[in-house]
Amino acid sequence: MPENRMFGRTREIKEVKEFVQSGTVAVVLITGGPGFGKTTVVKEVAYKLANPENERTVFFCRLSTKRKVSEVATEMIDSCERIQTHVPENPAQWLKEWSKQITTPVTFVLDNADDVLESEDRSSFLEMLNAVRMLSRQNVTFVVTSRNTFNNDDLHPKVARLKQVSVEEAKNILITEASTEDFQPKLSRPERIVELCGCVPLALCTVGSLL
């Protein structure tokens, strides 16, 4: 997203990027309610981390509907274009073996991990992340988005919590999403529309585009 269309998340984006770049954090968790912009924020974080000056490889994984650790591992392998003609028989183990070869910083962005974190494979998922982190000699980090937080004695995730944006930032989102520049000055009572949307970014984007 162009920076002139990104409102209200500058601090969170900077915070997550600094956590990852510190090299001491295994997992950064971006959390918040539905429509609060978790995916938008994590895409911007991934874009900034992938800047060549950071000397970091970034892989983006969409985990929506993934409930089994084997499905998550397969998505992670696929994101780094390691699957050629077939899926490994044990994707999680394959990923662990692969991580032993990592000698430079790598970040996996795991977007929308709610399903696996709420499944019976939750413990196996977190164990896999910890194993990949350890076997890579701390070269691999993870940025995870989820509506819910989680605790883990091995991973010690740092949490970036997204809340409603401010009224002024909400107005900027609403006006920017309005259909045309000619229409924007004609928008009446934006404060009331912002109030009805609860300062939630997705609601503001939806209403703005409809206007």
Side-chain angles (χ1 to χ4, degrees), residues 2 49 67 106 135 145 156 173 185-186 192:
L49 287 174
R67 299 187 62 84
V106 170
L135 292 170
T145 71
H156 302 290
I173 294 172
K186 302 175 185 177
R192 177 56 177 153

Side-chain angles (χ1 to χ4, degrees), residues 119-180:
S119 76
E120 59 184 21
D121 271 13
R122 172 193 176 101
S123 296
S124 298
F125 168 65
L126 297 177
E127 185 278 328
M128 180 183 72
L129 298 192
N130 184 56
V132 169
R133 168 80 173 170
M134 293 299 102
L135 292 170
S136 70
R137 296 167 298 282
Q138 288 76 47
N139 279 311
V140 174
T141 58
F142 304 94
V143 181
V144 181
T145 71
S146 171
R147 291 186 298 272
N148 302 305
T149 60
F150 64 87
N151 295 313
N152 183 273
D153 292 337
D154 296 314
L155 295 171
H156 302 290
K158 294 288 186 179
V159 179
R161 190 180 301 277
L162 304 185
K163 300 179 181 179
Q164 294 96 329
V165 296
S166 70
V167 171
E168 194 59 36
E169 289 160 344
K171 286 170 60 178
N172 285 332
I173 294 172
L174 179 70
I175 292 169
T176 301
E177 290 295 329
S179 56
T180 66

Side-chain angles (χ1 to χ4, degrees), residues 36-47:
F36 277 39
K38 297 182 292 296
T39 296
T40 299
V41 167
V42 83
K43 284 182 177 180
E44 185 68 13
V45 168
Y47 175 76

Side-chain angles (χ1 to χ4, degrees), residues 174-203:
L174 179 70
I175 292 169
T176 301
E177 290 295 329
S179 56
T180 66
E181 290 184 5
D182 291 339
F183 173 78
Q184 291 172 6
K186 302 175 185 177
L187 184 62
S188 63
R189 302 189 68 195
E191 295 83 2
R192 177 56 177 153
I193 300 175
V194 163
E195 180 185 353
L196 290 169
C197 290
C199 291
V200 175
L202 180 59

